[in-house]
Amino acid sequence: MARNVVISGGGTGIGLAAARAFAAGGDQVLLLGRRVDVLEKAGVPGARTYAADLTEPADVRGVAAFVEREFGAVDVLVHSAGGNGLLEPDAGHDDPLEAVAHDWTVNFRLNTLTAVLLTEALKPRLAEPGGRVLFLGSIAAYRGSGSGAYAAAKAGLHPYAHDLARQLGPRGITVNVVAPGYVEDTEFFGDAMSEERRARLVEETSTKRAGTPGDVVETLHWLASQGAGHITSQIIQVNGGAERGH
């Protein structure tokens, strides 16, 4: 039976790969993202698109109204929106504290606030029983990210997911976080990835290869299945052994 699947950040990278996988299985998919042109070029068969800035409550209310009108219930909610701020405007000044405040605020809004606002707006629409909420975390939540801002923002999803799992569990809805390691073929690193750093990240894995969006999507797709109905409140790492579970 076809499910209704909502995917934030669905126009690129892991979100797009997830959208293609769910659509290929016959599910009805809604792609969310800020950039209209990116959503229009996604090319996911049968998918609908809705452009919105998920850091803005007014835009999120618009998403919720669209979902209620067009879908009714949401069977699977995948939070793939986020990033490390490389695609965002610079702070615009040289003051070091202002730069820190800008970096941390941008990362919190992109990675934590987007997921929380969208989840809270769509909670009444989650299918029960059987609804699935899936957050995209990061290996950085365990080992840092340089400045700490991105890692802290992703780590913030962990307690929210745990609380949400307890809240929604009685309705038959599961909540999990999938935490990728180094994944190629996404916009995450922009042009900032040196060959030396890539080689180091690959060497840290037990599989001796970079991850792909497909690796993460397989885990998301399984967690969204009926067979994963008793798995909730978990952070599942997909990183080729670069970081072990805690």
Side-chain angles (χ1 to χ4, degrees), residues 118-138:
L118 185 61
T119 302
E120 294 298 316
L122 295 182
K123 264 199 308 192
R125 307 246 64 85
L126 292 171
E128 54 181 285
R132 303 284 188 263
V133 181
L134 299 169
F135 297 99
L136 261 293
S138 173

Side-chain angles (χ1 to χ4, degrees), residues 15-16 18 25 28 77 81 104 107 119 155 198 203 205-206 211 244:
L16 177 56
Q28 174 64 55
L77 175 57
W104 281 71
N107 274 278
T119 302
R198 180 191 180 280
E203 182 59 29
T205 70
S206 299
R244 295 191 295 175

Side-chain angles (χ1 to χ4, degrees), residues 77 79 119 123 126 130-135 157-170 172-178 223-224 228-236:
L77 175 57
H79 295 281
T119 302
K123 264 199 308 192
L126 292 171
R132 303 284 188 263
V133 181
L134 299 169
F135 297 99
L157 294 174
H158 296 184
Y160 178 62
H162 296 323
D163 286 345
L164 199 63
R166 285 191 290 268
Q167 181 186 128
L168 299 180
I173 299 167
T174 66
V175 182
N176 290 290
V177 179
V178 174
L223 287 170
H230 200 51
I231 297 173
T232 194
S233 196
Q234 302 300 310
I235 295 99
I236 298 174

Side-chain angles (χ1 to χ4, degrees), residues 7-10 12-16 18 78-83 134-136 154 220:
I7 303 177
S8 72
T12 61
I14 294 171
L16 177 56
V78 180
H79 295 281
S80 187
L134 299 169
F135 297 99
L136 261 293
K154 285 298 190 184
L220 291 169

Side-chain angles (χ1 to χ4, degrees), residues 18-241:
R20 288 171 174 160
F22 281 107
D27 294 321
Q28 174 64 55
V29 177
L30 172 63
L31 306 180
L32 305 177
R34 287 183 296 174
R35 296 172 290 177
V36 175
D37 58 326
V38 171
L39 292 175
E40 289 176 346
K41 294 175 183 176
V44 178
R48 302 186 190 189
T49 63
Y50 190 101
D53 183 344
L54 299 179
T55 67
E56 296 296 334
D59 279 22
V60 176
R61 278 193 290 269
V63 172
F66 180 85
V67 168
E68 181 177 8
R69 184 172 65 251
E70 300 295 329
F71 281 4
V74 176
D75 298 286
V76 183
L77 175 57
V78 180
H79 295 281
S80 187
N84 55 12
L86 286 179
L87 300 178
E88 305 304 306
D90 292 334
H93 40 68
D94 297 326
D95 182 86
L97 282 182
E98 292 287 352
V100 169
H102 174 79
D103 184 31
W104 281 71
T105 300
V106 164
N107 274 278
F108 174 77
R109 287 174 64 84
L110 287 177
N111 296 288
T112 314
L113 190 60
T114 53
V116 172
L117 287 179
L118 185 61
T119 302
E120 294 298 316
L122 295 182
K123 264 199 308 192
R125 307 246 64 85
L126 292 171
E128 54 181 285
R132 303 284 188 263
V133 181
L134 299 169
F135 297 99
L136 261 293
S138 173
I139 191 174
Y142 293 95
R143 54 168 56 182
S145 57
S147 72
Y150 173 75
K154 285 298 190 184
L157 294 174
H158 296 184
Y160 178 62
H162 296 323
D163 286 345
L164 199 63
R166 285 191 290 268
Q167 181 186 128
L168 299 180
R171 293 170 51 189
I173 299 167
T174 66
V175 182
N176 290 290
V177 179
V178 174
Y182 171 49
V183 176
E184 293 188 318
D185 300 324
T186 72
E187 292 182 337
F188 182 82
F189 291 101
D191 298 324
M193 175 62 74
S194 68
E195 185 54 39
E196 291 77 15
R197 186 181 183 191
R198 180 191 180 280
R200 177 174 58 80
L201 292 175
V202 169
E203 182 59 29
E204 288 177 350
T205 70
S206 299
T207 56
K208 303 307 176 191
R209 70 170 177 85
T212 68
D215 293 325
V216 183
V217 168
E218 287 294 332
T219 304
L220 291 169
H221 203 258
W222 174 68
L223 287 170
S225 72
Q226 185 176 0
H230 200 51
I231 297 173
T232 194
S233 196
Q234 302 300 310
I235 295 99
I236 298 174
Q237 300 196 62
V238 183
N239 57 41

